[in-house]
Amino acid sequence: MGAASGVLYRADTLEDIKQFANDDGLGNQYTVVIPYWLLSSSNVDILKSSKRLAAILAVVNGTDPAHAFAARPTNIISPDTTCPNCEFGLYANTPSQYQWNPTGSGLLFEQFDFPIYALNTMDTRNTMSYASVMQAANRNRDKGYRDYPLKSLQFHSFMWGAQDTGACLRKGWCTPVGGASVWSTPSTNISYTDEKPIVVVTAAMDSRSIFHDLTLGVESSVAGMVTVLAVAEALSRSTIPLDTMSKHIVYTLFTGEAWGFSGSQRFVQDITSSPIQCEKPPTSGSGCAYPFYSDLEFQRLNPSKIEAILEVGQIAGMGGVGGNPTLYAHIDNIQEAASTTLLNQIVQLGANGSTTVPPSSSTGIPVQAASSDGVKRGLPPSSSMSFLKSRGNIPTVVLTDFQKQMSALTNHDQDDNWNTPDTVNLIQQAASVISKTVWLQAQGVSDSATMTPAQTEAIASIQVDATLVQDLLGCLSLNYSCPLVDRYLN
């Protein structure tokens, strides 16, 4: 198939799209320029019905009023399915799975025989391209799209696609997902045989969208990742050293989660397959050349010793629109009894206030059991499912900002913004509740009323750094050249 080419046609509204489809006087093939938020399955179908569609150019964050941030509608719809990743999750073989994303359009999984491009004014070059395209489209519109000459746009970039993943890999058009998941622990002497239980704190690192290079996933993943990092930093302040506690704490951040929980499934497979049969040791350093592993440190983890999992999912929208900030704690309803104690502990901490334990006058963010309305929905799509598929009786709580329905920005290209200082404050409060729950779990304290003076002092010393939260949010969503990244990359 040759390069797509079409006369530029500007459609700012649904009415413009319908007019394009119904205008029988148009006699060319057209590249239709639309605001990104009009890129939906139904609107694409309307454009296709004209038989004149050559390509779609979706404008993201344009400077023109029709494409500006303020013009975004409030009823944004997730392009993912009504139950993201559910075919890979814990309930994959369960009939009538709960639909966590009921308004999802499924646009991510549709196939098109014409190119769809995004135009985002993220830098000077893109802004110049945008200005040029809009000038040409406006000129065509002024001519009624009939008075020649008309301005056209031709696309030369090949869109690498295939029928399925196997075909894509076989043809060499794409590469496997993964390779950047990380795990860490303050227990420097952790070993497979040390018999100490393990408390896992986890979150996803990435999101997905129609245009992958625009994907930030602030609500879908970034806020959760920042929370885990803030929890790790807060726990490091404990006056009782973490590596002296009765349980190990392990932090994990998984990549590729938006694609069938790839990162967490691979991690679970690796730690349960120890020892790895290294067919080709590296010429230098540690790890393995074939199969490739940058290091084999994960073999120090004993999966049978994992005693609790706390996962941070979507939490950036805790406040909602005019709502009260609340964290919802989800557990697996199939093996509900296994997680009840952990659930009750974090709910109680949220009720008591997250600054000190026992209760104080300081108010923490409330934590509510997701099933408190009497409906047992099970776990939402989450990395924890990979662990539970291997061993189903691990006490597990997944914390989110939703009780019944995921954010409309789930795996959406415009999940790229956050509200300072509200988001920072909410994440700080959430991290405080989570860090103290993890501390109690690792210390083996089931009843905070029985703590020793040293333990009471230690848990009070765990304070979340709001400045760190704000810096991390900025680094991971606004500016990768921030000081934290510069220090990390040296």
Side-chain angles (χ1 to χ4, degrees):
M1 185 171 120
S5 177
V7 174
L8 284 163
Y9 187 104
R10 178 171 177 172
D12 295 339
T13 65
L14 176 56
E15 288 68 29
D16 291 342
I17 290 175
K18 292 177 179 178
Q19 181 176 339
F20 169 79
N22 296 326
D23 190 346
D24 295 331
L26 297 175
N28 297 289
Q29 291 294 105
Y30 294 86
T31 296
V32 181
V33 183
I34 63 174
Y36 174 84
W37 44 86
L38 287 180
L39 185 61
S40 65
S41 300
S42 58
N43 289 345
V44 171
D45 288 342
I46 294 173
L47 293 171
K48 286 171 59 180
S49 69
S50 70
K51 307 298 182 184
R52 294 184 293 270
L53 182 64
I56 294 176
L57 191 62
V59 178
V60 184
N61 298 328
T63 56
D64 185 281
H67 306 124
F69 181 88
R72 295 180 188 178
T74 56
N75 57 336
I76 289 177
I77 296 175
S78 166
D80 211 324
T81 64
T82 56
C83 195
N85 270 345
C86 286
E87 66 270 35
F88 306 104
L90 188 62
Y91 315 114
N93 298 317
T94 302
S96 302
Q97 291 191 63
Y98 184 79
Q99 302 299 291
W100 291 98
N101 190 34
T103 61
S105 68
L107 187 63
L108 277 175
F109 299 91
E110 294 191 26
Q111 297 184 26
F112 304 102
D113 57 2
F114 51 86
I116 301 177
Y117 282 79
L119 182 56
N120 189 19
T121 56
M122 64 177 68
D123 56 35
T124 302
R125 185 180 63 177
N126 287 337
T127 300
M128 291 174 62
S129 297
Y130 168 77
S132 179
V133 166
M134 295 311 299
Q135 182 180 26
N138 289 338
R139 180 177 176 180
N140 288 350
R141 183 172 62 179
D142 292 341
K143 291 185 173 186
Y145 303 105
R146 290 172 173 82
D147 186 11
Y148 289 91
L150 296 171
K151 298 288 186 177
S152 297
L153 195 63
Q154 188 172 39
F155 300 91
H156 292 284
S157 297
F158 183 73
M159 301 184 75
W160 299 89
Q163 185 66 30
D164 54 32
T165 304
C168 198
L169 291 171
R170 187 172 64 252
K171 294 177 180 179
W173 290 358
C174 52
T175 55
V177 171
S181 296
V182 295
W183 72 276
S184 180
T185 179
S187 299
T188 55
N189 296 321
I190 190 172
S191 73
Y192 191 89
T193 58
D194 66 15
E195 296 300 315
K196 284 179 68 172
I198 298 173
V199 179
V200 174
V201 188
T202 188
M205 294 175 67
D206 54 10
S207 181
R208 66 182 297 187
S209 68
I210 297 172
F211 306 108
H212 296 319
D213 55 341
L214 301 183
T215 304
L216 292 179
V218 173
E219 285 194 21
S220 296
S221 55
V222 171
M225 178 168 53
V226 168
T227 302
V228 170
L229 294 173
V231 166
E233 196 276 337
L235 285 169
S236 70
R237 300 167 181 256
S238 171
T239 53
I240 297 177
L242 300 180
D243 58 358
T244 65
M245 294 189 173
S246 60
K247 302 175 187 178
H248 297 300
I249 301 173
V250 170
Y251 308 106
T252 59
L253 296 172
F254 296 118
T255 188
E257 291 302 275
W259 288 269
F261 308 120
S262 299
S264 57
Q265 292 211 59
R266 183 70 210 191
F267 180 78
V268 172
Q269 179 180 327
D270 286 344
I271 65 175
T272 55
S273 300
S274 298
I276 298 295
Q277 298 300 315
C278 185
E279 298 179 24
K280 186 179 179 182
T283 55
S284 62
S286 61
C288 183
Y290 187 83
F292 175 76
Y293 290 96
S294 57
D295 65 66
L296 297 174
E297 290 294 295
F298 59 85
Q299 294 186 120
R300 296 164 61 188
L301 301 177
N302 186 340
S304 68
K305 294 300 179 182
I306 296 176
E307 194 173 89
I309 300 173
L310 276 166
E311 178 169 354
V312 188
Q314 294 182 0
I315 66 166
M318 277 183 283
V321 179
N324 296 315
T326 302
L327 272 178
Y328 291 96
H330 305 261
I331 64 174
D332 173 29
N333 58 303
I334 296 177
Q335 300 205 45
E336 184 176 351
S339 302
T340 300
T341 300
L342 178 61
L343 171 68
N344 291 340
Q345 187 174 59
I346 195 166
V347 168
Q348 187 64 35
L349 275 171
N352 287 342
S354 61
T355 302
T356 59
V357 176
S360 75
S361 58
S362 178
T363 302
I365 195 163
V367 182
Q368 182 176 323
S371 60
S372 60
D373 61 353
V375 180
K376 297 181 179 180
R377 304 172 185 87
L379 293 174
S382 49
S383 302
S384 300
M385 291 184 171
S386 299
F387 292 88
L388 296 176
K389 286 170 71 175
S390 175
R391 182 162 63 88
N393 62 346
I394 305 174
T396 300
V397 170
V398 177
L399 295 161
T400 68
D401 58 20
F402 60 87
Q403 180 181 27
K404 305 173 184 178
Q405 182 174 331
M406 300 172 80
S407 166
L409 288 170
T410 297
N411 292 334
H412 197 289
D413 292 287
Q414 291 182 325
D415 183 8
D416 58 5
N417 198 20
W418 49 282
N419 178 20
T420 307
D422 290 348
T423 305
V424 172
N425 182 49
L426 291 171
I427 290 178
Q428 180 187 12
Q429 292 184 59
S432 185
V433 175
I434 295 166
S435 60
K436 287 174 171 55
T437 304
V438 173
W439 190 94
L440 291 172
Q441 286 287 316
Q443 189 70 6
V445 176
S446 58
D447 183 358
S448 58
T450 64
M451 289 193 301
T452 65
Q455 289 175 325
T456 301
E457 178 188 357
I459 198 168
S461 68
I462 300 170
Q463 300 293 327
V464 178
D465 186 343
T467 301
L468 175 66
V469 171
Q470 181 165 333
D471 289 347
L472 285 171
L473 278 171
C475 285
L476 296 172
S477 61
L478 300 176
N479 178 21
Y480 291 119
S481 299
C482 67
L484 282 176
V485 172
D486 287 342
R487 283 165 51 194
Y488 175 72
L489 297 176
N490 195 23

